[in-house]
């Protein structure tokens, strides 16, 4: 079965508009997909599923905990305004403030960037992110490409680095569950401290993104075991943003039995 339950459009920090991303899913024969933009549901209502594909509503909430950047995917969240919107607004405000601080620090380091430059890169995005700062630096000729922007200017210890100060994963899990959603821990292999899986499993986590392009076979074995230990459903996603940097595109082939328990929990739209 080909699924992709984790992708990003121009509504957050992806480079494809929602409809183009949905069409890309259809081209790659993805049977079930989710556009899980950061801290916004803005993609929904702006695309139709291509023939042969179905979709699930979803979101990716950025959180921080014990110096870890922790992303919590929320599936089956309502498109209409709900109790989760207050949390999303808080994160969006934190994103805007973080972008401004990055610009301020870069200007003190001699890079003549403005917040207006960054916002032009974010265009229709509801959530401003570090990739928009990187794109603004590239467009202004201050760095060669996105990779060098992150490596030389925006990474930890560099002049434009600003730590994330988002909500906590515990609060994100609670907010997702409060509106009838399914909270899933995204790309656990990227955690600095994997003990967080155990912590969050005891705090209402429902699923684990076991299948992810950067997970090694040993990671998949480990996360399968964690899912079984805590009775968590398993999900799969490419975390697609931009074909220039995510050359494998969208769609991940998995055993249908592995994702069936998750699909049984959510509403799937055509």
């Amino acid at each position: 079965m080909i699924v992709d339950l984790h992708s990003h459009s121009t509504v957050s920090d992806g480079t494809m508009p929602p409809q183009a991303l949905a069409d890309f899913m259809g081209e790659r024969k993805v049977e079930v997909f989710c556009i899980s933009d950061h801290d916004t549901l803005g993609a929904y209502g702006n695309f139709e599923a291509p023939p042969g594909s179905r979709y699930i509503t979803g979101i990716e909430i950025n959180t921080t905990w014990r110096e870890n950047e922790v992303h919590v995917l929320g599936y089956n969240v309502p498109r209409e305004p709900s109790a989760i919107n207050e949390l999303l607004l808080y994160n969006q405000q934190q994103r805007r403030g973080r972008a401004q601080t990055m610009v301020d620090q870069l200007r003190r380091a001699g890079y003549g960037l403005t917040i207006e430059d960054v916002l032009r890169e974010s265009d229709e995005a509801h959530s401003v992110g570090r990739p928009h700062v990187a794109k603004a630096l590239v467009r202004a000729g201050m760095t060669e490409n996105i990779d060098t922007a992150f490596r030389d200017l925006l990474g930890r210890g560099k002049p434009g680095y600003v730590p994330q100060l988002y909500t906590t994963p515990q609060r994100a899990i609670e907010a997702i569950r409060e509106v009838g959603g399914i909270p899933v821990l995204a790309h656990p292999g990227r955690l600095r401290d994997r003990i967080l899986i155990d912590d969050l499993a005891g705090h209402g986590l429902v699923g684990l993104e076991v299948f992810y392009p950067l997970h090694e076979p040993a990671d998949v074995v480990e996360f399968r075991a964690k899912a079984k230990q805590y009775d968590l459903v398993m999900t799969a996603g490419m975390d697609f943003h931009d074909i220039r940097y995510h050359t494998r595109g969208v769609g991940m082939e998995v055993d249908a039995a592995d994702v069936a328990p998750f699909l049984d929990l959510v509403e799937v739209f055509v």
Side-chain angles (χ1 to χ4, degrees):
M1 181 178 192
I2 301 176
V3 301
D4 198 334
L5 305 170
H6 187 172
S7 66
H8 300 276
S9 76
T10 49
V11 176
S12 62
D13 58 350
T15 55
M16 284 188 175
Q19 187 61 61
L21 181 54
D23 291 342
F24 193 29
M25 296 288 183
E27 292 169 16
R28 296 298 182 98
K29 310 297 184 186
V30 178
E31 298 168 60
V32 182
F33 70 90
C34 176
I35 298 179
S36 52
D37 280 312
H38 293 283
D39 301 317
T40 176
L41 288 156
Y44 293 94
N46 290 300
F47 71 88
E48 294 181 0
S53 292
R54 298 176 297 158
Y55 70 90
I56 300 163
T57 59
I59 195 167
E60 184 172 19
I61 300 178
N62 286 44
T63 76
T64 50
W65 184 247
R66 297 179 185 170
E67 299 184 354
N68 280 258
E69 180 179 332
V70 185
H71 293 186
V72 180
L73 293 156
Y75 297 103
N76 225 36
V77 288
R79 306 182 211 184
E80 63 275 5
S82 67
I84 204 170
N85 286 74
E86 182 178 345
L87 176 63
L88 302 183
L89 179 60
Y90 170 82
N91 262 14
Q92 290 168 12
Q93 291 171 339
Q94 292 300 310
R95 285 176 168 278
R96 174 61 185 264
R98 185 186 185 214
Q100 180 66 66
T101 303
M102 287 180 185
V103 168
D104 294 343
Q105 291 182 184
L106 287 166
R107 289 180 68 84
R108 286 195 293 270
Y111 296 89
L113 202 66
T114 68
I115 191 64
E116 289 73 23
D117 295 329
V118 175
L119 295 178
R120 274 193 292 273
E121 295 301 325
S122 67
D123 193 22
E124 65 193 79
H126 297 190
S127 298
V128 180
R130 192 166 50 158
H132 299 123
V133 180
K135 291 175 183 177
L137 287 165
V138 173
R139 189 178 298 277
M142 297 176 189
T143 190
E144 183 180 355
N145 53 47
I146 301 292
D147 290 340
T148 57
F150 274 83
R151 185 185 68 235
D152 299 339
L153 297 174
L154 303 177
R156 189 180 296 271
K158 302 303 179 181
Y161 176 74
V162 178
Q164 294 182 338
L165 293 173
Y166 298 126
T167 189
T168 66
Q170 291 87 347
R171 178 63 192 119
I173 289 169
E174 291 168 1
I176 292 165
R177 295 190 64 141
E178 283 169 7
V179 297
I182 309 299
V184 172
L185 181 62
H187 39 64
R190 289 171 47 183
L191 290 173
R192 296 178 65 190
D193 185 357
R194 294 186 182 185
I195 194 68
L196 282 173
I197 299 171
D198 304 88
D199 292 347
L200 298 179
H203 200 90
L205 190 70
V206 174
L208 198 59
E209 191 176 51
V210 172
F211 309 103
Y212 184 76
L214 298 183
H215 286 172
E216 299 291 342
D219 294 324
V220 174
V221 170
E222 176 185 349
F223 300 141
R224 273 186 180 278
K226 287 291 184 185
K228 183 176 182 180
Q229 178 183 355
Y230 293 113
D231 196 24
L232 303 174
V233 296
M234 298 188 292
T235 68
M238 292 296 287
D239 199 6
F240 178 82
H241 289 73
D242 186 330
I243 193 63
R244 292 172 295 178
Y245 306 103
H246 297 83
T247 56
R248 291 173 59 183
V250 297
M252 179 176 286
E253 188 165 2
V254 297
D255 190 322
D258 283 334
V259 294
F262 167 75
L263 294 176
D264 287 343
L265 294 178
V266 296
E267 184 176 4
V268 183
F269 300 91
V270 295

mmCIF file of all heavy atoms in Angstrom, residues 38-40 59-63 72 77 82-95 127 165-179:
data_model
loop_
_atom_site.group_PDB
_atom_site.id
_atom_site.type_symbol
_atom_site.label_atom_id
_atom_site.label_comp_id
_atom_site.label_asym_id
_atom_site.label_seq_id
_atom_site.Cartn_x
_atom_site.Cartn_y
_atom_site.Cartn_z
ATOM 1 N N HIS A 38 2.701 22.914 9.245
ATOM 2 C CA HIS A 38 3.094 23.316 10.594
ATOM 3 C C HIS A 38 2.115 24.336 11.170
ATOM 4 O O HIS A 38 1.932 25.426 10.623
ATOM 5 C CB HIS A 38 4.492 23.950 10.578
ATOM 6 C CG HIS A 38 5.586 23.003 10.229
ATOM 7 N ND1 HIS A 38 6.096 22.080 11.119
ATOM 8 C CD2 HIS A 38 6.279 22.823 9.078
ATOM 9 C CE1 HIS A 38 7.061 21.391 10.527
ATOM 10 N NE2 HIS A 38 7.188 21.814 9.294
ATOM 11 N N ASP A 39 1.476 23.963 12.261
ATOM 12 C CA ASP A 39 0.692 24.889 13.080
ATOM 13 C C ASP A 39 -0.446 25.572 12.333
ATOM 14 O O ASP A 39 -0.869 26.667 12.717
ATOM 15 C CB ASP A 39 1.616 25.945 13.718
ATOM 16 C CG ASP A 39 2.691 25.320 14.593
ATOM 17 O OD1 ASP A 39 2.356 24.398 15.352
ATOM 18 O OD2 ASP A 39 3.861 25.731 14.497
ATOM 19 N N THR A 40 -0.947 24.965 11.263
ATOM 20 C CA THR A 40 -2.080 25.542 10.546
ATOM 21 C C THR A 40 -2.815 24.464 9.754
ATOM 22 O O THR A 40 -2.205 23.525 9.248
ATOM 23 C CB THR A 40 -1.634 26.663 9.584
ATOM 24 O OG1 THR A 40 -2.784 27.118 8.851
ATOM 25 C CG2 THR A 40 -0.577 26.185 8.604
ATOM 26 N N ILE A 59 -2.286 17.987 10.858
ATOM 27 C CA ILE A 59 -1.481 19.146 11.194
ATOM 28 C C ILE A 59 -0.206 18.654 11.869
ATOM 29 O O ILE A 59 -0.167 17.541 12.417
ATOM 30 C CB ILE A 59 -2.280 20.072 12.148
ATOM 31 C CG1 ILE A 59 -1.651 21.447 12.254
ATOM 32 C CG2 ILE A 59 -2.449 19.431 13.529
ATOM 33 C CD1 ILE A 59 -2.577 22.453 12.920
ATOM 34 N N GLU A 60 0.845 19.456 11.822
ATOM 35 C CA GLU A 60 2.056 19.151 12.582
ATOM 36 C C GLU A 60 2.311 20.309 13.540
ATOM 37 O O GLU A 60 2.496 21.447 13.108
ATOM 38 C CB GLU A 60 3.259 18.947 11.659
ATOM 39 C CG GLU A 60 4.516 18.524 12.415
ATOM 40 C CD GLU A 60 5.661 18.122 11.493
ATOM 41 O OE1 GLU A 60 5.643 18.499 10.308
ATOM 42 O OE2 GLU A 60 6.572 17.442 11.973
ATOM 43 N N ILE A 61 2.281 20.014 14.814
ATOM 44 C CA ILE A 61 2.469 21.047 15.832
ATOM 45 C C ILE A 61 3.907 20.993 16.333
ATOM 46 O O ILE A 61 4.375 19.965 16.808
ATOM 47 C CB ILE A 61 1.474 20.861 17.001
ATOM 48 C CG1 ILE A 61 0.033 20.937 16.484
ATOM 49 C CG2 ILE A 61 1.707 21.915 18.074
ATOM 50 C CD1 ILE A 61 -1.013 20.719 17.562
ATOM 51 N N ASN A 62 4.596 22.113 16.208
ATOM 52 C CA ASN A 62 5.966 22.204 16.702
ATOM 53 C C ASN A 62 5.949 22.442 18.208
ATOM 54 O O ASN A 62 5.220 23.312 18.700
ATOM 55 C CB ASN A 62 6.706 23.348 16.016
ATOM 56 C CG ASN A 62 7.077 23.033 14.589
ATOM 57 O OD1 ASN A 62 6.283 22.491 13.837
ATOM 58 N ND2 ASN A 62 8.292 23.375 14.204
ATOM 59 N N THR A 63 6.750 21.667 18.931
ATOM 60 C CA THR A 63 6.827 21.815 20.381
ATOM 61 C C THR A 63 8.288 21.705 20.827
ATOM 62 O O THR A 63 9.147 21.261 20.065
ATOM 63 C CB THR A 63 6.002 20.729 21.110
ATOM 64 O OG1 THR A 63 6.705 19.483 21.088
ATOM 65 C CG2 THR A 63 4.636 20.542 20.475
ATOM 66 N N VAL A 72 4.591 17.001 16.905
ATOM 67 C CA VAL A 72 3.441 16.137 17.148
ATOM 68 C C VAL A 72 2.459 16.297 15.998
ATOM 69 O O VAL A 72 1.979 17.398 15.722
ATOM 70 C CB VAL A 72 2.751 16.475 18.485
ATOM 71 C CG1 VAL A 72 1.545 15.553 18.701
ATOM 72 C CG2 VAL A 72 3.737 16.352 19.646
ATOM 73 N N VAL A 77 -8.215 16.159 13.013
ATOM 74 C CA VAL A 77 -8.596 17.405 13.679
ATOM 75 C C VAL A 77 -9.621 18.134 12.808
ATOM 76 O O VAL A 77 -9.562 18.066 11.581
ATOM 77 C CB VAL A 77 -7.370 18.295 13.947
ATOM 78 C CG1 VAL A 77 -6.515 17.716 15.046
ATOM 79 C CG2 VAL A 77 -6.535 18.484 12.686
ATOM 80 N N SER A 82 -11.931 25.485 16.307
ATOM 81 C CA SER A 82 -12.171 24.637 17.475
ATOM 82 C C SER A 82 -11.224 25.066 18.583
ATOM 83 O O SER A 82 -10.461 26.035 18.442
ATOM 84 C CB SER A 82 -11.939 23.163 17.125
ATOM 85 O OG SER A 82 -10.570 22.927 16.834
ATOM 86 N N ALA A 83 -11.237 24.325 19.672
ATOM 87 C CA ALA A 83 -10.415 24.675 20.833
ATOM 88 C C ALA A 83 -8.928 24.648 20.522
ATOM 89 O O ALA A 83 -8.125 25.279 21.225
ATOM 90 C CB ALA A 83 -10.739 23.726 21.989
ATOM 91 N N ILE A 84 -8.522 23.931 19.465
ATOM 92 C CA ILE A 84 -7.098 23.834 19.149
ATOM 93 C C ILE A 84 -6.549 25.119 18.537
ATOM 94 O O ILE A 84 -5.336 25.352 18.534
ATOM 95 C CB ILE A 84 -6.833 22.636 18.208
ATOM 96 C CG1 ILE A 84 -5.377 22.166 18.341
ATOM 97 C CG2 ILE A 84 -7.165 22.975 16.757
ATOM 98 C CD1 ILE A 84 -5.105 20.854 17.634
ATOM 99 N N ASN A 85 -7.448 25.990 18.044
ATOM 100 C CA ASN A 85 -6.983 27.191 17.355
ATOM 101 C C ASN A 85 -6.183 28.126 18.257
ATOM 102 O O ASN A 85 -5.265 28.809 17.795
ATOM 103 C CB ASN A 85 -8.168 27.940 16.752
ATOM 104 C CG ASN A 85 -8.713 27.235 15.530
ATOM 105 O OD1 ASN A 85 -9.381 26.206 15.645
ATOM 106 N ND2 ASN A 85 -8.423 27.757 14.356
ATOM 107 N N GLU A 86 -6.519 28.166 19.546
ATOM 108 C CA GLU A 86 -5.779 29.016 20.478
ATOM 109 C C GLU A 86 -4.324 28.586 20.562
ATOM 110 O O GLU A 86 -3.407 29.423 20.560
ATOM 111 C CB GLU A 86 -6.426 28.962 21.862
ATOM 112 C CG GLU A 86 -5.748 29.869 22.882
ATOM 113 C CD GLU A 86 -6.440 29.842 24.235
ATOM 114 O OE1 GLU A 86 -7.589 29.361 24.309
ATOM 115 O OE2 GLU A 86 -5.822 30.299 25.215
ATOM 116 N N LEU A 87 -4.098 27.282 20.598
ATOM 117 C CA LEU A 87 -2.728 26.757 20.643
ATOM 118 C C LEU A 87 -1.995 27.066 19.338
ATOM 119 O O LEU A 87 -0.823 27.459 19.352
ATOM 120 C CB LEU A 87 -2.760 25.253 20.881
ATOM 121 C CG LEU A 87 -1.412 24.528 20.868
ATOM 122 C CD1 LEU A 87 -0.528 25.028 21.991
ATOM 123 C CD2 LEU A 87 -1.608 23.029 20.982
ATOM 124 N N LEU A 88 -2.678 26.896 18.209
ATOM 125 C CA LEU A 88 -2.053 27.170 16.918
ATOM 126 C C LEU A 88 -1.685 28.650 16.791
ATOM 127 O O LEU A 88 -0.617 28.994 16.270
ATOM 128 C CB LEU A 88 -2.984 26.756 15.779
ATOM 129 C CG LEU A 88 -3.415 25.290 15.767
ATOM 130 C CD1 LEU A 88 -4.282 25.008 14.549
ATOM 131 C CD2 LEU A 88 -2.202 24.357 15.795
ATOM 132 N N LEU A 89 -2.560 29.525 17.265
ATOM 133 C CA LEU A 89 -2.275 30.952 17.217
ATOM 134 C C LEU A 89 -1.055 31.291 18.065
ATOM 135 O O LEU A 89 -0.201 32.094 17.661
ATOM 136 C CB LEU A 89 -3.491 31.747 17.698
ATOM 137 C CG LEU A 89 -3.320 33.271 17.730
ATOM 138 C CD1 LEU A 89 -3.006 33.820 16.343
ATOM 139 C CD2 LEU A 89 -4.584 33.931 18.295
ATOM 140 N N TYR A 90 -0.960 30.670 19.237
ATOM 141 C CA TYR A 90 0.212 30.885 20.094
ATOM 142 C C TYR A 90 1.488 30.507 19.356
ATOM 143 O O TYR A 90 2.471 31.262 19.341
ATOM 144 C CB TYR A 90 0.081 30.053 21.374
ATOM 145 C CG TYR A 90 1.348 30.027 22.206
ATOM 146 C CD1 TYR A 90 1.649 31.071 23.076
ATOM 147 C CD2 TYR A 90 2.245 28.963 22.105
ATOM 148 C CE1 TYR A 90 2.828 31.054 23.824
ATOM 149 C CE2 TYR A 90 3.413 28.950 22.847
ATOM 150 C CZ TYR A 90 3.701 29.986 23.705
ATOM 151 O OH TYR A 90 4.872 29.972 24.436
ATOM 152 N N ASN A 91 1.503 29.336 18.721
ATOM 153 C CA ASN A 91 2.698 28.896 17.998
ATOM 154 C C ASN A 91 3.010 29.809 16.823
ATOM 155 O O ASN A 91 4.174 30.107 16.541
ATOM 156 C CB ASN A 91 2.522 27.458 17.515
ATOM 157 C CG ASN A 91 3.180 26.448 18.438
ATOM 158 O OD1 ASN A 91 3.557 26.763 19.569
ATOM 159 N ND2 ASN A 91 3.331 25.221 17.970
ATOM 160 N N GLN A 92 1.985 30.272 16.112
ATOM 161 C CA GLN A 92 2.211 31.169 14.983
ATOM 162 C C GLN A 92 2.830 32.489 15.453
ATOM 163 O O GLN A 92 3.718 33.045 14.797
ATOM 164 C CB GLN A 92 0.904 31.410 14.240
ATOM 165 C CG GLN A 92 0.411 30.193 13.476
ATOM 166 C CD GLN A 92 -1.016 30.340 12.986
ATOM 167 O OE1 GLN A 92 -1.581 31.425 13.011
ATOM 168 N NE2 GLN A 92 -1.610 29.234 12.550
ATOM 169 N N GLN A 93 2.384 32.978 16.594
ATOM 170 C CA GLN A 93 2.967 34.205 17.155
ATOM 171 C C GLN A 93 4.421 33.984 17.557
ATOM 172 O O GLN A 93 5.280 34.858 17.353
ATOM 173 C CB GLN A 93 2.135 34.672 18.351
ATOM 174 C CG GLN A 93 0.764 35.183 17.970
ATOM 175 C CD GLN A 93 -0.126 35.433 19.167
ATOM 176 O OE1 GLN A 93 0.087 34.892 20.273
ATOM 177 N NE2 GLN A 93 -1.151 36.244 18.999
ATOM 178 N N GLN A 94 4.706 32.811 18.119
ATOM 179 C CA GLN A 94 6.080 32.485 18.473
ATOM 180 C C GLN A 94 6.958 32.407 17.227
ATOM 181 O O GLN A 94 8.112 32.846 17.227
ATOM 182 C CB GLN A 94 6.130 31.149 19.225
ATOM 183 C CG GLN A 94 5.493 31.174 20.603
ATOM 184 C CD GLN A 94 6.157 32.164 21.538
ATOM 185 O OE1 GLN A 94 7.369 32.178 21.680
ATOM 186 N NE2 GLN A 94 5.358 32.999 22.165
ATOM 187 N N ARG A 95 6.406 31.868 16.142
ATOM 188 C CA ARG A 95 7.149 31.771 14.886
ATOM 189 C C ARG A 95 7.511 33.167 14.363
ATOM 190 O O ARG A 95 8.642 33.407 13.934
ATOM 191 C CB ARG A 95 6.311 31.037 13.834
ATOM 192 C CG ARG A 95 6.219 29.552 14.048
ATOM 193 C CD ARG A 95 5.292 28.910 13.019
ATOM 194 N NE ARG A 95 5.415 27.462 13.055
ATOM 195 C CZ ARG A 95 6.363 26.780 12.443
ATOM 196 N NH1 ARG A 95 7.264 27.412 11.726
ATOM 197 N NH2 ARG A 95 6.411 25.474 12.534
ATOM 198 N N SER A 127 2.214 30.093 8.625
ATOM 199 C CA SER A 127 3.242 29.872 9.643
ATOM 200 C C SER A 127 4.612 30.214 9.065
ATOM 201 O O SER A 127 5.088 29.559 8.141
ATOM 202 C CB SER A 127 3.236 28.410 10.116
ATOM 203 O OG SER A 127 2.000 28.081 10.714
ATOM 204 N N LEU A 165 10.759 28.204 20.966
ATOM 205 C CA LEU A 165 10.054 28.337 22.236
ATOM 206 C C LEU A 165 8.566 28.124 21.975
ATOM 207 O O LEU A 165 7.755 29.029 22.127
ATOM 208 C CB LEU A 165 10.319 29.706 22.862
ATOM 209 C CG LEU A 165 11.754 29.967 23.327
ATOM 210 C CD1 LEU A 165 11.921 31.409 23.777
ATOM 211 C CD2 LEU A 165 12.127 29.014 24.465
ATOM 212 N N TYR A 166 8.241 26.933 21.539
ATOM 213 C CA TYR A 166 6.851 26.626 21.229
ATOM 214 C C TYR A 166 6.174 26.007 22.450
ATOM 215 O O TYR A 166 6.736 25.926 23.533
ATOM 216 C CB TYR A 166 6.785 25.668 20.040
ATOM 217 C CG TYR A 166 7.376 26.233 18.768
ATOM 218 C CD1 TYR A 166 8.359 25.540 18.065
ATOM 219 C CD2 TYR A 166 6.958 27.466 18.264
ATOM 220 C CE1 TYR A 166 8.901 26.057 16.899
ATOM 221 C CE2 TYR A 166 7.495 27.989 17.105
ATOM 222 C CZ TYR A 166 8.468 27.284 16.416
ATOM 223 O OH TYR A 166 9.008 27.788 15.268
ATOM 224 N N THR A 167 4.956 25.555 22.245
ATOM 225 C CA THR A 167 4.233 24.864 23.304
ATOM 226 C C THR A 167 4.932 23.536 23.612
ATOM 227 O O THR A 167 5.874 23.138 22.929
ATOM 228 C CB THR A 167 2.768 24.630 22.877
ATOM 229 O OG1 THR A 167 2.016 24.149 23.996
ATOM 230 C CG2 THR A 167 2.680 23.620 21.730
ATOM 231 N N THR A 168 4.464 22.836 24.616
ATOM 232 C CA THR A 168 5.062 21.553 24.985
ATOM 233 C C THR A 168 4.356 20.414 24.240
ATOM 234 O O THR A 168 3.188 20.543 23.846
ATOM 235 C CB THR A 168 4.933 21.294 26.491
ATOM 236 O OG1 THR A 168 3.533 21.131 26.813
ATOM 237 C CG2 THR A 168 5.533 22.436 27.294
ATOM 238 N N PRO A 169 5.039 19.274 24.054
ATOM 239 C CA PRO A 169 4.362 18.143 23.405
ATOM 240 C C PRO A 169 3.179 17.637 24.212
ATOM 241 O O PRO A 169 2.179 17.178 23.653
ATOM 242 C CB PRO A 169 5.462 17.088 23.279
ATOM 243 C CG PRO A 169 6.528 17.488 24.245
ATOM 244 C CD PRO A 169 6.454 18.970 24.336
ATOM 245 N N GLN A 170 3.279 17.726 25.535
ATOM 246 C CA GLN A 170 2.162 17.273 26.365
ATOM 247 C C GLN A 170 0.906 18.110 26.088
ATOM 248 O O GLN A 170 -0.202 17.573 25.957
ATOM 249 C CB GLN A 170 2.536 17.365 27.852
ATOM 250 C CG GLN A 170 3.594 16.375 28.278
ATOM 251 C CD GLN A 170 5.016 16.876 28.066
ATOM 252 O OE1 GLN A 170 5.240 17.875 27.380
ATOM 253 N NE2 GLN A 170 5.987 16.188 28.658
ATOM 254 N N ARG A 171 1.109 19.433 25.995
ATOM 255 C CA ARG A 171 -0.045 20.307 25.724
ATOM 256 C C ARG A 171 -0.580 20.061 24.320
ATOM 257 O O ARG A 171 -1.807 20.084 24.100
ATOM 258 C CB ARG A 171 0.353 21.775 25.891
ATOM 259 C CG ARG A 171 -0.777 22.757 25.585
ATOM 260 C CD ARG A 171 -1.945 22.580 26.535
ATOM 261 N NE ARG A 171 -3.125 23.315 26.092
ATOM 262 C CZ ARG A 171 -4.293 22.751 25.788
ATOM 263 N NH1 ARG A 171 -4.441 21.436 25.891
ATOM 264 N NH2 ARG A 171 -5.310 23.481 25.406
ATOM 265 N N ALA A 172 0.303 19.815 23.349
ATOM 266 C CA ALA A 172 -0.140 19.532 21.984
ATOM 267 C C ALA A 172 -0.974 18.263 21.941
ATOM 268 O O ALA A 172 -2.035 18.215 21.292
ATOM 269 C CB ALA A 172 1.061 19.414 21.052
ATOM 270 N N ILE A 173 -0.517 17.226 22.646
ATOM 271 C CA ILE A 173 -1.268 15.964 22.693
ATOM 272 C C ILE A 173 -2.644 16.192 23.305
ATOM 273 O O ILE A 173 -3.667 15.722 22.790
ATOM 274 C CB ILE A 173 -0.479 14.904 23.483
ATOM 275 C CG1 ILE A 173 0.749 14.454 22.680
ATOM 276 C CG2 ILE A 173 -1.361 13.705 23.826
ATOM 277 C CD1 ILE A 173 1.743 13.617 23.471
ATOM 278 N N GLU A 174 -2.680 16.927 24.396
ATOM 279 C CA GLU A 174 -3.956 17.213 25.051
ATOM 280 C C GLU A 174 -4.898 17.968 24.124
ATOM 281 O O GLU A 174 -6.089 17.641 24.017
ATOM 282 C CB GLU A 174 -3.713 18.033 26.314
ATOM 283 C CG GLU A 174 -3.010 17.271 27.429
ATOM 284 C CD GLU A 174 -2.530 18.190 28.543
ATOM 285 O OE1 GLU A 174 -2.775 19.424 28.435
ATOM 286 O OE2 GLU A 174 -1.911 17.691 29.501
ATOM 287 N N ALA A 175 -4.361 18.991 23.438
ATOM 288 C CA ALA A 175 -5.199 19.811 22.564
ATOM 289 C C ALA A 175 -5.750 19.003 21.395
ATOM 290 O O ALA A 175 -6.914 19.176 20.994
ATOM 291 C CB ALA A 175 -4.393 21.008 22.043
ATOM 292 N N ILE A 176 -4.937 18.123 20.840
ATOM 293 C CA ILE A 176 -5.390 17.285 19.730
ATOM 294 C C ILE A 176 -6.499 16.348 20.195
ATOM 295 O O ILE A 176 -7.530 16.194 19.540
ATOM 296 C CB ILE A 176 -4.209 16.490 19.141
ATOM 297 C CG1 ILE A 176 -3.227 17.443 18.434
ATOM 298 C CG2 ILE A 176 -4.697 15.423 18.163
ATOM 299 C CD1 ILE A 176 -1.874 16.820 18.136
ATOM 300 N N ARG A 177 -6.300 15.742 21.352
ATOM 301 C CA ARG A 177 -7.305 14.807 21.865
ATOM 302 C C ARG A 177 -8.594 15.527 22.254
ATOM 303 O O ARG A 177 -9.691 14.978 22.110
ATOM 304 C CB ARG A 177 -6.743 14.020 23.038
ATOM 305 C CG ARG A 177 -5.591 13.104 22.638
ATOM 306 C CD ARG A 177 -5.205 12.153 23.747
ATOM 307 N NE ARG A 177 -6.289 11.238 24.056
ATOM 308 C CZ ARG A 177 -6.131 9.959 24.356
ATOM 309 N NH1 ARG A 177 -4.918 9.423 24.378
ATOM 310 N NH2 ARG A 177 -7.150 9.200 24.652
ATOM 311 N N GLU A 178 -8.477 16.760 22.742
ATOM 312 C CA GLU A 178 -9.662 17.523 23.149
ATOM 313 C C GLU A 178 -10.629 17.756 21.996
ATOM 314 O O GLU A 178 -11.838 17.878 22.211
ATOM 315 C CB GLU A 178 -9.239 18.871 23.747
ATOM 316 C CG GLU A 178 -8.708 18.783 25.166
ATOM 317 C CD GLU A 178 -8.063 20.076 25.630
ATOM 318 O OE1 GLU A 178 -8.160 21.092 24.883
ATOM 319 O OE2 GLU A 178 -7.450 20.081 26.710
ATOM 320 N N VAL A 179 -10.092 17.817 20.764
ATOM 321 C CA VAL A 179 -10.962 18.059 19.605
ATOM 322 C C VAL A 179 -11.238 16.764 18.829
ATOM 323 O O VAL A 179 -11.694 16.794 17.689
ATOM 324 C CB VAL A 179 -10.372 19.139 18.674
ATOM 325 C CG1 VAL A 179 -10.288 20.472 19.394
ATOM 326 C CG2 VAL A 179 -9.001 18.729 18.128
#
